[in-house]
Amino acid sequence: MISNQILQNTIEGLKAITRIDICVMDTEGKALATTINNAEDYENAVLAFVESPADSQVLQGYQFFKVFDEHQLEYVILAKGDSDDVYMVGKIASFQIQNLLVAYKERYDKDNFIKNLLLDNLLLVDIYNRAKKLHIETDVRRVVFIIETKNEKDVNALETVRSLFSGKTKDFITAVDEKNIILVKELKQSESYEDMQKTAKVILDMLNTEAMTKVHVSFGTIVNEIKDVSRSYKEAKMALDVGKIFYSDRNIVAYNNLGIGRLIYQLPMPLCKMFIKEIFEGKSPDDFDEETLTTINKFFENSLNVSETSRQLYIHRNTLVYRLDKLQKSTGLDLRVFEDAITFKIALMVVKYMKYMETLEY
């Protein structure tokens, strides 16, 4: 259904050009948009006109017109006056609102199609049949972005994203839940993942400044067929979750940059517990003191470089070696050995994942 504000803008635009007052009513005689002061006085006349077989007629000094949506009466238009000029303006108003109905219905149908496509609610044959009917190309490059807002039903954020991509008619913006805005973006052949990163940055900056809201943006892999759009959506969802667990300092997360985090995210919880038990023999990295954890993280940040790590920690090289030796005695893992370092790094990430999953259970 067309919003009342759009209807009001339409008839005010016509009045500005023609100087003729117009009113749009529903089939129960209630004014939805009007430039006429006493529109409620014509409620009974509208009800009588709705029941009549005529598509247009003159009543009480007004031209009455019916507007249909696929043979279903949707609106009645009143144009003030009974001259031929008023009749033409009334017909123009009817024609414009009819076009708006078609446009809104197509937009709703496309939005409904995209939602079902993302959620895997369509059979393969239905995807291609409905895409053809809605004039949506099936074999172009696309990628799905998810914009997670801090607040539920953030209308400002949704409208900001829509305004940002309003000129690109082949992009689709929708929502399948309360907090996530979804952008299905069509890409040129030359566009790469680096361009996707730039697009995500533009979205992030625009929402921070225009909508004054903090968001997280994720995106899946680029797909070439419309049937694979749901895969890109699932990847973007995973990127959002994995980002919260392992890359909490990032506001933009790409599925193809998740690394080991993506693998750990898909591990069953019993396997994670078994792995931690084997590595730490019943202990947990939480048992390490703050100094040890800081040393471990800084050592990983500097690619296992002892000299650079000791410099950044403002400690003597021998002090760092002592700490690493102490850690080796308690865990059996020497972080200076690449294989042991990898095992320890994965263990730390598994613990992070287990903690996150525990918070979801409560």
Side-chain angles (χ1 to χ4, degrees), residues 194-205:
E194 189 178 335
D195 296 308
M196 298 308 96
Q197 197 76 24
K198 289 175 184 175
T199 299
K201 183 74 167 60
V202 169
I203 294 170
L204 191 74
D205 292 344

Side-chain angles (χ1 to χ4, degrees), residues 5-6 42 44 62 74 86 91 102 147 155 162-163 165 171 194 222 224 263 273 293 304 306-307 310 349 354:
Q5 187 59 54
I6 296 291
Y42 297 89
N44 290 333
Y62 281 81
E74 288 290 336
V86 174
K91 290 297 285 184
V102 172
I147 302 110
V155 177
R162 280 191 172 140
S163 67
F165 296 93
D171 295 338
E194 189 178 335
I222 296 169
N224 297 306
L263 298 176
K273 290 177 180 176
L293 286 171
L304 315 184
V306 174
S307 299
S310 58
M349 294 180 76
M354 289 168 65

Side-chain angles (χ1 to χ4, degrees), residues 111 118 144-163 165 172-184 203 207 211 213-219 233 236-237 240:
D111 187 67
L118 293 168
V144 176
F145 288 83
I146 297 180
I147 302 110
E148 184 186 62
T149 58
K150 191 175 180 182
N151 303 316
E152 292 188 0
K153 293 185 178 178
D154 194 329
V155 177
N156 286 340
L158 181 59
E159 289 307 314
T160 301
V161 175
R162 280 191 172 140
S163 67
F165 296 93
F172 301 102
I173 295 149
T174 188
V176 295
D177 55 36
E178 302 293 335
K179 290 186 76 172
N180 293 333
I181 301 165
I182 299 160
L183 165 66
V184 182
I203 294 170
L207 287 170
T213 184
K214 297 289 182 184
V215 299
H216 288 91
V217 182
S218 67
F219 57 93
Y233 169 63
K237 273 190 78 176
L240 205 58

Side-chain angles (χ1 to χ4, degrees), residues 11 16 25 30 58-59 63 68 85 92 94 115 145 230 238 263 271-272 290 351:
I11 62 172
M25 290 188 166
K30 299 293 184 291
V58 179
L59 288 170
Q63 302 270 4
F68 294 89
D85 289 344
I92 291 169
S94 301
K115 281 180 181 175
F145 288 83
S230 63
M238 183 187 284
L263 298 176
L271 189 61
C272 292
E290 191 64 36
V351 169

Side-chain angles (χ1 to χ4, degrees), residues 66 68 70 85 92 97 100 119 179 193 195 234 240:
K66 290 178 180 176
F68 294 89
E70 292 187 357
D85 289 344
I92 291 169
I97 292 171
L100 282 172
L119 297 173
K179 290 186 76 172
Y193 285 108
D195 296 308
K234 288 170 189 167
L240 205 58

